[in-house]
Amino acid sequence: MREKEFLPVLSSKLGIAELNPMQRRMLDASSEKRDIILLSPTGSGKTLAFILPVLKMLNPPSGRVQCVVIAPSRELVIQIAGVFNTVAAGYKVTALYGGHKVEDEVNSLRVTPDIIVATPGRLLDHLNRRNVDLLPVRILVLDEFDKTLELGFEDELKKILGRLKNVSRNILTSATSADVLPEFLRLNNPIEVNFLEKNRRLRHRLRVSKVEVPGRDKLESLLQLLKTITSGPRPEKSIVFVNHRESAERVAEFLKGRGVSCVLYHGALDQRQREQAVVRFNNGSDPVLVATDLAARGLDIESVRNVIHYHQALSPEAYTHRNGRTARVEEEGDVYVLVGPDEDVREFTDFDRELHLGSEAEASLASGLTTVAINAGRKEKLSKGDILGFLTKECGIPGSDIGRIDVFDHYSLFAVPTSLLPELLAVARSARVKGSRRLFTPLE
């Protein structure tokens, strides 16, 4: 398949009018019978860049697994599987990852998928239980393989790759360049598609500000910064990065107590809490995300205007990945680094300006939106259209007032103006959604 053959579905499903140079280069590289190593930073369109070559390489559905994609985090697995499901019409895609019901995955595997997207641990678990046969797999993608190795999944990868006897095409992606690759990868004269240097232009779309704070406790300065950089009726999307889970909880609790619409994200949260945090951030009901470096890579996060380093990053890589959350796809973004008294600035940080906070900014940091959960999802045959139809027809809410709708396996989320909640909940108590009564719960 050529680029022009992909564009109709990309335009209708994803709103993409043309491929970027990296994605076109990956399609060209896939025509050669060699493995591919793609080096490109987060936010550059890397997921689509490897999915399109995979689609080009796939045979028609045959009742056997043709492609396995391994990614280091459940969030990345969900994101990749979502894109595959959108553009790979006619192919069955199954996502395997920790944090949700194994039974759902086992049931899904009873009808053999064409494409499996998985974390290393969960995929190995299904292999050991003999729930899936990977012997027919011809295509292997290791997405963010540097992160996978960094997180200690080397043993799992070795065992999985030992079961993949018939792989003829490997695609590896990474946001950093590696001098030496592990021998167990068994690559065949790989082509390197390197867009790291071309994407260093990202720095020119970022404005990095040093924010000096008067005391060791940065909470009041953070609050004042958020007020200072908010100019509209609600805050722009901002991620506040901290170095520890306990700090994330402390900062989020402080901000919520001061009327900031914010949500928390770190590794100790369960899968549903993490999913809901990303949704609430993306749909604008909680436009401030307080997070550890877990949120610096692998999340499907849209249109982030500001990155705030509440704590300075511990490494150049962490600093780069945090900043990569803004100024994506040719947009501009701002980065703010809070520096306390007697705190040394990391050698890998350079500033464009110093920002001096006053006490005069009094912007509202409440979004005016609320995310509502419904206790039904895909497995209960509930769709986005069903939810939209209920809200507009039964509740009388204009479509323009309804925010993004997200449907998961066993629950769904949507955003509405907080002012409409009482009437919505009153209707929902006695109405039926697609023939069944459903529980509607506003997320605090």
Side-chain angles (χ1 to χ4, degrees), residues 2 52 103 171-172 185 209 215 267 336 341 348 392 394 410 435:
R2 299 179 180 178
L52 294 180
E103 293 82 1
I171 300 176
L172 277 62
L185 293 177
S209 302
Y336 301 92
F348 47 78
T392 55
E394 300 294 330
H410 295 290

Side-chain angles (χ1 to χ4, degrees), residues 64-217:
R64 295 182 174 186
V65 183
Q66 298 189 52
C67 173
V68 168
V69 181
I70 298 176
S73 70
R74 64 186 73 173
E75 290 82 5
L76 194 51
V77 166
I78 293 168
Q79 175 190 335
I80 294 167
V83 179
F84 263 120
N85 276 316
T86 300
V87 301
Y91 291 96
K92 183 184 178 186
V93 182
T94 294
L96 308 176
Y97 56 90
H100 70 157
K101 293 182 179 179
V102 177
E103 293 82 1
D104 285 345
E105 295 182 351
V106 173
N107 290 335
S108 180
L109 290 170
R110 285 189 178 126
V111 177
T112 303
D114 304 286
I115 302 163
I116 289 176
V117 187
T119 54
R122 184 54 71 94
L123 179 58
L124 185 59
D125 182 57
H126 281 291
L127 281 171
N128 290 337
R129 295 170 184 260
R130 299 186 177 181
N131 292 332
V132 61
D133 176 18
L134 298 188
L135 196 59
V137 172
R138 299 182 300 104
I139 306 163
L140 173 65
V141 179
L142 299 180
D143 190 31
E144 296 201 358
F145 72 87
D146 57 328
K147 179 79 170 185
T148 304
L149 297 176
E150 177 188 316
L151 291 174
F153 289 119
E154 185 167 335
D155 287 343
E156 286 88 344
L157 282 181
K158 284 182 181 178
K159 292 174 182 176
I160 293 169
L161 269 59
R163 310 273 189 100
L164 297 171
K165 304 293 187 182
N166 294 304
V167 170
S168 57
R169 300 297 296 274
N170 293 279
I171 300 176
L172 277 62
T173 83
S174 174
T176 58
S177 182
D179 295 329
V180 180
L181 296 173
E183 290 185 6
F184 67 82
L185 293 177
R186 304 193 304 270
L187 299 183
N188 171 34
N189 188 23
I191 302 169
E192 185 179 278
V193 178
N194 191 335
F195 274 74
L196 291 176
E197 190 60 40
K198 292 185 180 181
N199 279 278
R200 297 198 196 285
R201 307 182 285 185
L202 168 67
R203 178 64 182 88
H204 301 297
R205 304 199 309 274
L206 288 176
R207 180 172 60 173
V208 182
S209 302
K210 179 181 181 182
V211 183
E212 292 189 350
V213 301
R216 297 188 63 179
D217 193 333

Side-chain angles (χ1 to χ4, degrees), residues 186-309:
R186 304 193 304 270
L187 299 183
N188 171 34
N189 188 23
I191 302 169
E192 185 179 278
V193 178
N194 191 335
F195 274 74
L196 291 176
E197 190 60 40
K198 292 185 180 181
N199 279 278
R200 297 198 196 285
R201 307 182 285 185
L202 168 67
R203 178 64 182 88
H204 301 297
R205 304 199 309 274
L206 288 176
R207 180 172 60 173
V208 182
S209 302
K210 179 181 181 182
V211 183
E212 292 189 350
V213 301
R216 297 188 63 179
D217 193 333
K218 301 177 179 179
L219 290 173
E220 290 292 347
S221 295
L222 172 62
L223 180 62
Q224 194 58 38
L225 173 62
L226 288 170
K227 291 180 178 180
T228 300
I229 63 179
T230 298
S231 56
R234 57 174 63 108
E236 296 173 320
K237 286 184 184 173
S238 303
I239 303 180
V240 180
F241 280 108
V242 300
N243 288 341
H244 310 287
R245 294 172 183 172
E246 296 79 7
S247 301
E249 291 172 356
R250 176 170 174 262
V251 170
E253 183 178 1
F254 171 84
L255 292 178
K256 287 180 180 178
R258 301 303 188 278
V260 181
S261 296
C262 74
V263 68
L264 179 67
Y265 190 94
H266 60 61
L269 302 176
D270 65 33
Q271 176 62 21
R272 179 170 290 201
Q273 289 172 317
R274 286 156 69 172
E275 286 176 348
Q276 291 181 355
V278 173
V279 168
R280 292 165 67 171
F281 183 63
N282 274 336
N283 69 24
S285 62
D286 289 287
V288 177
L289 180 70
V290 181
T292 61
D293 283 332
L294 184 65
R297 298 172 72 175
L299 295 185
D300 186 13
I301 290 177
E302 306 166 353
S303 305
V304 178
R305 175 64 200 188
N306 307 300
V307 166
I308 300 171
H309 298 261

